Every structure is written in structure tokens, then in C-alpha cells.
Amino acid sequence: MSIYNVLKSMNSKTMTNFLKEEANVENVLEFQNISKYFPGVKALDDVSFHINSGEVMAFIGENGAGKSTLLKILNGDYQPSSGKYLINGQEKHFKEPREAIEAGISVIYQERQILMDLTVAENIFLGRLPAGRFGKINIKEANRRTQEIIDDFGLDMRPTDYAKDLSIAYQQLVEIMKAYSRDNLKIIAFDEPTASLSDSEIDRLFHIIRKLKSEGKIIIYVSHRMKEIQQIADKLAIFKDGKYVGTYGLNEISSEEMIRKMVGRDLGDIYDNLDKNKEIGDILLEVKHLKTDYVKDVSFTLHKGEILGFSGLVGAGRTETVRGIIGADRLLDGEIYLEGKRIHNRSPKDAMKNGIVLVPEDRKTQGILDNFDVGKNITIGSIDINSNRFGILNKKKEKRMIEKGISEFRIKTPNAEKKITELSGGNQQKAIVARWMATKPKVLILDEPTKGIDVGAKSEFYNMICEFAKQGLGIILISSEMPELLGLSDRIIVMKSREISGEIPVKDASEEKLLKLAMIGGDLNE
Amino acid sequence: MNKTGKRNFQLPINGSNIVLLFAIIGVTIIFTSINKNLFSYQNLINILIAASLTGLVAIGHTYLIIAGLNDLSSGSLAAFSGVMAALFVSNLGMNFWLALFLTIIIAAIIGVFNTWMVCGIKLDPFIATLVTQAILRGFAYILNNGKAVPVSNETFITLGKARFLTIPLTVWILIIGYIVFGFILAKTKFGRSVYAIGGNKIAARLAGLSPKKIILTCYMMMGALCAIGGIILAARMNSGQPSACVNLEFDSITGVILGGVSFSGGVGNMGGTILGVLLIQAFNTGLTMVGVQSFWQYVARGALLLIALAIDYLRKRNREKRLIADSMKNL
């Protein structure tokens, strides 16, 4: 604490650098009873724990467990609904990310936030470029200081390189250097930093993290990848459904135990007990050489009663492929056949009429109509069916459809007039699925259907999906959760860089194989 | 709030509309206490006649704003239509009904142009219709070199004077307009689609609706309504006036927002709009009757719009607050 104050009062660059290397600056980050509510969701529930400097704390938990929400509170993006956080014993309220950055907190996200048309040095010193008299920017000084950091990190790049010319991994490292270049950096958080990095780049990142650790920074590392966590983390904070489960030393807990604490039950059970469809029928959908502005040359087939998984990293082109199929994005080339007949989907409306429907990726921005109640959200896809030739809606018909949807999909709502936004995420998603199933589709496309919904609702969803397959629907399931894909699919297609990099029957698939295809591509047998 | 039981029968008036009703009564009482003549039958009819023009345009604004759009060109379009119809009848000797039909068609085509700017070149509706506002006002003057076009056609003039059951024809047109368009908005597929694209255009498109077609219909409808409004005004004044209807869209939008249509789209109903338009018309007439200088009337109107927007903001914030409170209870 006292050293910290000295450091702050001196504010001299040489002294700071000296302290950085020589002294262990003690930093403590403490969360006290933090809760965060969103309409329909309790994202964080009374979370309290602390992190000491000089250790790498991994946040683990399923999607939607609350890890990212906590990071967003820490960097001022969100305000906690209740509770507080303290840095070195001082309570902080960051109203926006800028305030957090100024206080020495950096969060490195998956999506790179650097400016592509600027150089490495300009990116690193953006907003605080060293300036001389009359505000003239001293770019030489910036380049010199950037070179120092590059040398510190042991990287092969120049301060004058443009960001857009760097590899994705290096772009990410520029962001880390940017955080590092701030004299008062205390806390650095990585949110899934390795999603797009190769093995050697991951090694380099870990080298840098260890360096930061030795300098007394607090390091938060959010990841789904067990292997990496075991390599880099000292401690684990486990989250489950918005609650903090506990902190464990890396060696205190086995992987199985970890997963059990994350999900509250054995994940295997959910999938093992699924009553999967065993009779896969004829070819239902055939996509040939599909090309849009966002994907190049995608071909595949889907059978009746089949669940076809789509795997790949974020940005690999999975969502874009299905958007092309339903006509949400313009088709540049390619043919689509449904039950042997060629179809043309110029808009999602055409696709719906042809019997192909999509439950989109982002429920909030693409799925729900937040000004409508639950009932109208269910029937909006069926207004043609529910109206007469003058376009007048048949209230009775609508009501029947709504009641059927609510009971069949077990949507938990007091009544159909409840605003959709007041429901939990899982129930909102069920309403969207009900919307589409009411149109009696032949092909159901689900894009990340269980993102951000709790485990209980998830297993309900899985049963539902299997039930649809049994009814003879063809199902395309896009998911970033590998256990989900492996547990549900009959066949898995992997995409990489906007094209298909492989296809595996589920009995031959494993997480490693999928990941290899997603990251490296190529022939599995090599 | 809502009960699950039978609620098939629904009054077009809900909680916030009742507040409006009281506001209208309040405004009337205040102005009447200052000027006793205001509450006379003749004055009420005058308010209704004045409301018939704003009211027709407000129907269009209700659809547009619920759909998340807007239109600033309505005043210019109404003036342009009035002048054009008068020219058709007086200078070209056209049959009134043909002139009416042609004017409506042309105004609807201007709606197509507005749609092209909004959907085709993706301009913000505010800016896009600001363009049409200027161009159409210009053309309203150009058509007859800036002069008003006198009308002597009998059918035309009768439209402005005729009464049915002592109520002027123009008011009847307004009443029929509200019944028809209110029904379409509340009970049809098209109405439902308008709410849907106003709530979330992207989700609505993915849900199989065609936002472009819906937007096109709304703007064409608005065009037709402006044309009818402009012609009614020309009939009442016995001439097509190129300088008429300045600030028409202002009163109309204020009325619509006062009536509970949310400026951010997706929320509102026709019942609210009727009351909102009546309120602003009573307000305007009242200000004139009690002798408020016309310069100050502008200030008062601006203040009224600000109040309407503030109420809209508070309503929205309350909805969100209630939502979060409910979520906390449910979880």
C-alpha cells in the first residue's frame, strides 16, 4: 500500500520502471456482494471474493455463468445492481471504461479493439502520444518507447508496422502491449485470449503473462480451455449460473471435480440420457457451392431426421452460411435443393414459405420483438396462416396457437400477455422456437440455441431438439460448445476461414479433432 | 397487470389515455375560464374542423412512428396537393373526382420516393423527409408562380361546406378515417407487422416479414392522407394555397407522441392519437382565443412537444424499471 502511494506520488517514468522490475507492488482486488440484474436474467448473484497480485486467477464456468459480466463491471462497462469492488482497499465506481483504464485496469477482449490504419506505436500510445511544444506529436519518441516494449516482450515486429499488416495474434499482442505501456497498470484481464492463436503464439502470450505476474500485476484469465488453464493459472475461481462457487488452487482440484462444480451435475448424463432419433431418412436439403459476400463455396447435404452439427471458431462462417441459405444475405452463387427441388430464397420470408427457418444467434437483437408479449412473439411468424384473405387476424386461431406453443414448449409464463422481456433467457428462446415450429418447417436451423441459458433449460432444449428429429425434421445445429455438438449431432461439419474444412460422423469425432479442423484444417488422417 | 381471464372486449382507451382525456378537459376548462366563448358548440366544431386536417396526417404519423420511422414532409405535401388539385380543376377543367384521384396517386408516388430514400439509400427518415419537405414546398410555389389558385368548382367547394347531421363533412371523413385505420392497425396482419418492425426490424425480417414492403405501404398511405388533407383545406379556403400547412407535421407529431406512441417505435395505438390531436388542437385554439400573441404560440407549442417527449421518456423508463424489478422478484 505504501509503496503504491510512493509510486503514485513520484509519477516519474524512471522510478516507475525501477519499481516495476525491482519491487513487488502489492495489489489486491476485492469483490463484495456484487449482483447484476438484466431484464429476465440474474447475471451475477451476490459474488464476493478477492484476488492478490502476483497470481494468475482463471475464471471458469459455462457460457452465461457470469464471468464476462464481472469483467464488464470491473472495467466500467456495466454498473453493479448492488455490491461493490475495492482496489487496494479503496472502493471504486467506474462509470465508463475510460475511468477504469485510467485507474490501471485493462481488459483484453476476443474482438480486437485496435485501429487497423494506425501503426503499432500509434495504437499503443493512442490518446497520449508524446508531444512537444505547440502539441506537435513526437513520433520518434513514441517509436522508441514502443521498441522498448517490443524488446521486453521479445516480439518480431516494428513500431512502424501498420496494424492491418500484422497477424491476428500480433494484433492481439499489440493490445496487450498497449495495456502494459501504461505506468499504472495494476489489473489485466484476458477474455478468451487464445481463441484465434496458434500454439507458438499461445506460448509467447504465456511468457508475457508470466512476466506481468512477476511484476506484481493482478492477472485474470477467462477461458474454456482446460489445457491452457492448467499451464498458466495459479488459482481458479469457479462460476455457475451467476454465482461464485469458490476459489481453488490449481492442484487442489481435478478436472472432473471442476466440471462438476461448473455444471452442478455430470455433463455426460445430460447427453447420455437423450433419446436420440435412430432412423435417418432421405436427403432433405442439398446445398451446392453456396457463395455470399461472407462465405466461399460451401456444399453439404442434410437428411430427414438428422441433426447436423456445425463447428468452428467464432467468425469461421457458420452463421453466414445459414444466413445465405435462408436468404438473409444475398446469394452470389450456388444452388439449394429441398427434397430434390431447386428453391430460391431471396428473403427469410421465402425461406419460411419453403419450410426452412432459422432461430438466430443473438436472441436479443435478432430473435425477440421486445415490444410484444409472449403470445404475439409466438404468432408473428404465422400471421399469414392466422389471417383471412383480407388480412384480418383471427384472434381465436391465434389464441389456440399461443396456448399450444406455451404448453408444448413448456414456456414458463404466468400468461400469454406477459411481456417477452420479462421472461428468463431460456423461456424467451423457447418462445422463439415455438414461433418457428408453428410454421411447420421441414428444416430447422438453430444458431447457438443454448447460449446464455441455464443448465436446466438446456437439457429441456436437447430433448426438444431430439424430438424434432424424430418427427422427421432436418436440423442444423450451430454451436460453440463442443460437448453439445458431440452429444446431439449425428454428423459434424467443421468450418474454418469461411469454408468447410472437414466433416466427421459423430462416432469418430472428439473435441481435439474438431478443434484441429477448426484451427488448422486439412486432412484428419495425416 | 393483465388478468388471464376473458379480455376479448377491449376499450380503445387505456390508463394513459384516461390521463389524456383529463388533460383535454383541463385545458378546455382553463381556457374557458379565461374566455367564455371557447366552450360554445360552434367553437367545439371549429376545433374539430381544425383537427380534421392535423388528424388525418396524424393517422399517417401514428403508423410511421410505430414502425420506427417519421415524416417531416407532410405539411409541404398537403400544400402541394391542395395547389395541384386546385390547378387540375380550375386551370385544366378536370372533373373533381378525377382531380382528387390523380392528386392522391401523385402524393402516394412521393411516398414511394420517401421510401426509396429511407430503404434504398438508407437515409435517416428525419433527414430524408426534410429533403422532401423543402422540395415539395418549392414545387407548391412553382406550380402557379407563387400565387394561390382559386377554386370555383362546385363539388370541390361543397366538400368544405357540406354538413351531415349538423357535423361538417370533413369531420365525418376524419371519423371514418380513424375507424378504418384504427381497425387496420389493431386487427390486421399489416397492423401487426407495423408494430413488429418498429420493435425490432432485424428480428422482424428474420421472422419472415418484409420490412421494405411495410415501410413502402406506410409512406404511400401517408402520402394519400396528406393529399386528402390538403384538398380538404383547399376546399375550405376556396383556393389552393402554396403557403398553407406550415408546421402541420409539427402539430401532428406532437399529438401522436402525446397520445402515447413511443418515439422509439413499436408502442402506441390509434385511440391515443385521437385524444392527442384533440388536445393539441384545443390547446392551439385556446391560445388564439385568449389572445396569446402568435409568436408566443410557437414557444408554447415547442414546450408542449418537449412535455410530450418527456412523458414518453418517463413512460419508457418506468417500463424498464418495472421489468428489472420483476426480474429480481422472479429469480
Side-chain angles (χ1 to χ4, degrees):
Chain A
M1 185 74 193
S2 62
I3 297 172
Y4 166 76
N5 279 337
V6 171
L7 189 154
K8 203 175 171 188
S9 63
M10 295 184 78
N11 205 16
S12 123
K13 194 175 176 299
T14 45
M15 199 60 198
T16 314
N17 277 342
F18 169 76
L19 282 172
K20 250 187 188 174
E21 279 150 29
E22 298 302 325
N24 252 340
V25 185
E26 283 297 326
N27 289 312
V28 185
L29 168 65
E30 202 175 349
F31 296 106
Q32 289 182 359
N33 310 97
I34 296 233
S35 293
K36 177 72 186 170
Y37 300 98
F38 296 108
V41 189
K42 198 174 195 178
L44 284 176
D45 186 5
D46 199 22
V47 169
S48 305
F49 67 105
H50 66 94
I51 309 173
N52 292 320
S53 67
E55 62 188 24
V56 177
M57 175 74 95
F59 283 9
I60 62 170
E62 288 190 295
N63 285 342
K67 302 160 297 186
S68 297
T69 311
L70 192 60
L71 287 190
K72 283 189 171 156
I73 284 177
L74 180 62
N75 89 334
D77 224 358
Y78 292 159
Q79 308 305 317
S81 304
S82 63
K84 56 184 178 180
Y85 49 99
L86 298 85
I87 295 170
N88 298 333
Q90 277 181 314
E91 199 179 330
K92 300 279 179 190
H93 305 275
F94 301 129
K95 292 193 182 58
E96 48 183 317
R98 188 181 50 80
E99 291 180 14
I101 290 169
E102 280 166 6
I105 296 167
S106 280
V107 179
I108 313 287
Y109 287 105
Q110 281 169 21
E111 306 88 39
R112 282 154 298 284
Q113 291 156 332
I114 61 170
L115 299 169
M116 291 299 164
D117 291 320
L118 297 186
T119 66
V120 172
E122 284 166 342
N123 262 299
I124 288 176
F125 289 101
L126 189 68
R128 53 198 176 100
L129 281 160
R133 265 193 302 171
F134 310 120
K136 186 178 179 299
I137 285 167
N138 186 346
I139 198 71
K140 270 189 191 154
E141 172 67 10
N143 285 342
R144 191 186 62 72
R145 277 158 69 178
T146 303
Q147 189 63 52
E148 278 179 19
I149 301 170
I150 293 175
D151 292 344
D152 264 8
F153 278 31
L155 297 176
D156 174 29
M157 63 165 99
R158 281 174 311 218
T160 50
D161 285 341
Y162 281 94
K164 63 184 171 206
D165 299 330
L166 300 175
S167 70
I168 289 175
Y170 268 47
Q171 289 172 1
Q172 197 163 19
L173 290 173
V174 169
E175 250 183 280
I176 298 169
M177 289 196 285
K178 185 175 171 178
Y180 178 79
S181 72
R182 291 177 187 278
D183 292 339
N184 67 342
L185 180 70
K186 292 190 202 65
I187 300 170
I188 181 161
F190 300 89
D191 193 359
E192 300 269 1
T194 57
S196 46
L197 301 191
S198 72
D199 280 350
S200 67
E201 288 161 344
I202 291 175
D203 282 345
R204 180 141 300 153
L205 174 71
F206 284 179
H207 170 74
I208 292 163
I209 290 178
R210 290 195 188 98
K211 180 171 163 55
L212 292 167
K213 184 170 101 174
S214 70
E215 288 173 9
K217 314 290 186 218
I218 290 175
I219 295 155
I220 298 171
Y221 191 88
V222 179
S223 179
H224 284 300
R225 300 190 181 166
M226 247 8 128
K227 218 173 83 189
E228 288 170 14
I229 289 170
Q230 278 161 352
Q231 274 180 43
I232 193 72
D234 300 306
K235 286 184 178 172
L236 302 166
I238 301 180
F239 291 82
K240 184 193 150 197
D241 301 337
K243 290 195 179 73
Y244 164 74
V245 178
T247 298
Y248 304 87
L250 186 67
N251 301 322
E252 291 168 27
I253 187 168
S254 70
S255 309
E256 290 77 38
E257 224 177 314
M258 227 188 283
I259 290 170
R260 213 169 305 131
K261 287 197 192 305
M262 276 161 61
V263 298
R265 73 182 92 167
D266 259 329
L267 255 185
D269 289 355
I270 299 183
Y271 302 107
D272 291 345
N273 295 337
L274 283 176
D275 188 10
K276 288 178 71 173
N277 178 35
K278 289 173 191 76
E279 290 154 38
I280 289 169
D282 301 335
I283 289 181
L284 177 63
L285 178 76
E286 198 170 3
V287 175
K288 287 182 181 170
H289 307 295
L290 179 103
K291 191 179 171 213
T292 71
D293 285 331
Y294 312 102
V295 287
K296 40 190 180 192
D297 198 17
V298 171
S299 305
F300 66 91
T301 55
L302 171 71
H303 293 252
K304 275 187 184 147
E306 184 186 33
I307 301 178
L308 178 61
F310 264 75
S311 182
L313 301 175
V314 173
R318 298 169 299 168
T319 299
E320 291 76 7
T321 300
V322 297
R323 280 180 66 91
I325 294 172
I326 65 156
D329 290 336
R330 200 161 48 97
L331 222 60
L332 298 176
D333 202 5
E335 292 156 21
I336 300 167
Y337 295 88
L338 187 69
E339 294 175 321
K341 268 190 296 196
R342 178 145 188 216
I343 54 166
H344 299 272
N345 296 333
R346 282 181 195 86
S347 67
K349 187 176 189 162
D350 288 348
M352 188 179 90
K353 282 185 177 155
N354 286 321
I356 304 177
V357 300
L358 164 70
V359 175
E361 182 181 11
D362 188 344
R363 184 170 57 243
K364 206 168 166 186
T365 61
Q366 302 176 359
I368 60 166
L369 292 160
D370 57 8
N371 55 329
F372 278 1
D373 58 26
V374 182
K376 283 179 184 160
N377 261 291
I378 293 175
T379 55
I380 190 66
S382 316
I383 46 175
D384 284 330
I385 307 170
N386 288 337
S387 56
N388 66 14
R389 64 202 156 101
F390 302 110
I392 297 170
L393 291 166
N394 183 332
K395 288 267 149 94
K396 275 189 195 147
K397 231 172 158 180
E398 267 201 319
K399 205 176 160 199
R400 270 202 303 275
M401 182 179 276
I402 293 165
E403 280 167 359
K404 192 168 166 241
I406 289 178
S407 69
E408 221 167 80
F409 295 93
R410 289 196 291 275
I411 301 170
K412 284 189 207 93
T413 175
N415 54 51
E417 288 84 23
K418 194 93 175 156
K419 271 272 168 82
I420 185 99
T421 41
E422 296 179 40
L423 267 51
S424 72
N427 282 304
Q428 289 182 12
Q429 189 73 321
K430 284 182 198 168
I432 308 290
V433 175
R435 173 196 292 172
W436 289 122
M437 291 308 288
T439 68
K440 302 199 166 51
K442 294 174 183 141
V443 177
L444 176 66
I445 305 172
L446 301 159
D447 194 353
E448 303 281 3
T450 60
K451 198 170 165 186
I453 68 177
D454 58 271
V455 180
K458 260 183 199 174
S459 79
E460 259 186 288
F461 250 99
Y462 297 151
N463 285 318
M464 233 179 248
I465 294 170
C466 291
E467 185 54 37
F468 297 153
K470 278 191 176 162
Q471 291 165 12
L473 262 75
I475 291 161
I476 294 176
L477 173 68
I478 300 176
S479 176
S480 294
E481 288 185 47
M482 301 231 188
E484 185 172 296
L485 279 180
L486 292 167
L488 280 170
S489 315
D490 298 302
R491 196 155 51 97
I492 299 176
I493 285 176
V494 186
M495 289 193 75
K496 175 182 173 283
S497 317
R498 302 167 171 196
E499 52 193 354
I500 291 176
S501 61
E503 184 187 315
I504 335 176
V506 76
K507 61 176 168 30
D508 303 333
S510 66
E511 291 202 24
E512 289 74 34
K513 280 183 186 170
L514 294 180
L515 207 57
K516 188 173 170 233
L517 278 173
M519 295 178 63
I520 307 161
D523 194 353
L524 270 179
N525 302 322
E526 273 173 19
Chain B
M1 204 170 65
N2 291 326
K3 295 207 177 74
T4 16
K6 281 186 185 172
R7 286 181 81 252
N8 291 335
F9 180 74
Q10 226 175 345
L11 279 171
I13 286 183
N14 55 29
S16 62
N17 285 352
I18 288 170
V19 176
L20 261 179
L21 206 58
F22 279 112
I24 296 173
I25 295 168
V27 167
T28 320
I29 290 172
I30 291 167
F31 285 126
T32 318
S33 66
I34 305 171
N35 184 329
K36 295 279 183 293
N37 291 332
L38 188 78
F39 211 46
S40 71
Y41 177 72
Q42 189 48 46
N43 256 324
L44 284 181
I45 292 293
N46 282 345
I47 290 177
L48 282 177
I49 291 173
S52 62
L53 175 55
T54 318
L56 279 175
V57 175
I59 291 174
H61 274 131
T62 306
Y63 276 79
L64 286 169
I65 298 175
I66 287 177
L69 303 159
N70 218 314
D71 188 359
L72 298 183
S73 67
S74 351
S76 299
L77 182 54
F80 173 76
S81 303
V83 175
M84 191 163 52
L87 273 178
F88 283 157
V89 173
S90 300
N91 294 21
L92 303 179
M94 211 181 270
N95 169 296
F96 168 72
W97 297 108
L98 181 63
L100 178 76
F101 177 73
L102 273 182
T103 310
I104 289 175
I105 296 293
I106 291 168
I109 291 170
I110 289 161
V112 178
F113 179 69
N114 278 336
T115 311
W116 174 74
M117 286 193 291
V118 171
C119 295
I121 54 175
K122 313 254 182 245
L123 292 180
D124 181 90
F126 247 84
I127 296 301
T129 55
L130 197 61
V131 170
T132 359
Q133 183 192 61
I135 292 176
L136 289 173
R137 181 64 67 183
F139 275 114
Y141 284 110
I142 291 166
L143 281 178
N144 196 35
N145 284 325
K147 294 193 288 286
V149 184
V151 175
S152 51
N153 181 302
E154 252 174 55
T155 331
F156 205 144
I157 295 171
T158 317
L159 177 72
K161 299 224 165 63
R163 287 181 181 236
F164 179 68
L165 300 176
T166 78
I167 293 171
L169 193 61
T170 53
V171 177
W172 282 112
I173 293 175
L174 182 70
I175 292 170
I176 292 166
Y178 272 97
I179 292 171
V180 172
F181 286 103
F183 179 84
I184 293 174
L185 186 62
K187 304 283 179 196
T188 67
K189 182 170 101 175
F190 174 70
R192 184 71 59 81
S193 313
V194 169
Y195 282 102
I197 64 165
N200 186 340
K201 200 161 130 189
I202 297 168
R205 178 164 178 260
L206 288 175
L209 303 180
S210 318
K212 273 184 198 170
K213 276 187 200 157
I214 298 160
I215 292 170
L216 177 68
T217 315
C218 286
Y219 272 119
M220 287 177 70
M221 222 171 72
M222 180 55 145
L225 287 163
C226 290
I228 296 170
I231 291 170
I232 287 175
L233 185 72
R236 237 164 51 209
M237 308 205 300
N238 292 340
S239 65
Q241 302 271 1
S243 59
C245 304
V246 176
N247 283 335
L248 174 63
E249 58 274 343
F250 189 92
D251 283 352
S252 169
I253 293 170
T254 309
V256 169
I257 303 290
L258 273 174
V261 173
S262 171
F263 209 67
S264 38
V267 179
N269 61 49
M270 206 52 97
T273 295
I274 302 175
L275 296 175
V277 167
L278 286 177
L279 176 59
I280 189 156
Q281 218 49 249
F283 184 74
N284 284 346
T285 314
L287 285 179
T288 312
M289 297 284 296
V290 300
V292 173
Q293 216 186 358
S294 68
F295 311 134
W296 280 106
Q297 286 191 24
Y298 280 107
V299 179
R301 283 166 158 188
L304 191 63
L305 179 57
L306 181 63
I307 290 168
L309 290 168
I311 293 170
D312 180 35
Y313 167 75
L314 289 175
R315 266 199 287 250
K316 204 172 146 192
R317 206 184 57 175
N318 276 343
R319 271 201 299 273
E320 274 159 15
K321 264 193 182 166
R322 213 183 49 227
L323 255 172
I324 290 176
D326 276 6
S327 321
M328 287 172 80
K329 255 186 290 166
N330 293 341
L331 289 161

